[in-house]
Amino acid sequence: MAVVIGGVIIIWLGLTMGAAGLRWLAVELHYPARLAAPVLLAVLETVLFLLFVPGTALLPPSWGWPMAGGLVAAAWLINGAVAGLDWHRNRPVKESPATE
């Protein structure tokens, strides 16, 4: 359970610290970059989880790869939801045709 909680904390900290760091540096990402940033973070988290979770001493040896797979799925789900919600909130609205 500690591995799952730690993995979710890593995902959450990556998102919040990335956003806080950009705000602190007064960096405003343009629309495509705001959508790509959580996806790139998911790629980084995937690499970290696949490298470090299977070999941890906190899990029985047979649980390493399934737990890493679950954390990778959670990373993509959470980061994808963040990108999807940002897209939904800020998507370009189609202009309705003007009627006269």
Side-chain angles (χ1 to χ4, degrees):
M1 193 62 161
V3 174
V4 172
I5 293 170
V8 172
I9 289 171
I10 294 292
I11 295 167
W12 186 258
L13 283 177
L15 284 167
T16 56
M17 288 177 57
L22 289 173
R23 277 192 300 273
W24 184 70
L25 293 171
V27 174
E28 181 73 28
L29 297 177
H30 55 83
Y31 181 68
R34 281 197 327 260
L35 297 180
V39 175
L40 293 175
L41 182 61
V43 170
L44 176 67
E45 291 166 347
T46 297
V47 170
L48 290 175
F49 289 149
L50 291 178
L51 284 176
F52 295 109
V53 170
T56 186
L58 296 173
L59 294 172
S62 63
W63 284 31
W65 286 106
M67 189 66 66
L71 287 173
V72 166
W76 282 97
L77 181 70
I78 293 168
N79 290 317
V82 168
L85 287 173
D86 190 39
W87 170 82
H88 183 68
R89 273 187 253 136
N90 301 310
R91 68 185 183 275
V93 179
K94 294 181 183 176
E95 293 183 23
S96 60
T99 56
E100 294 183 25

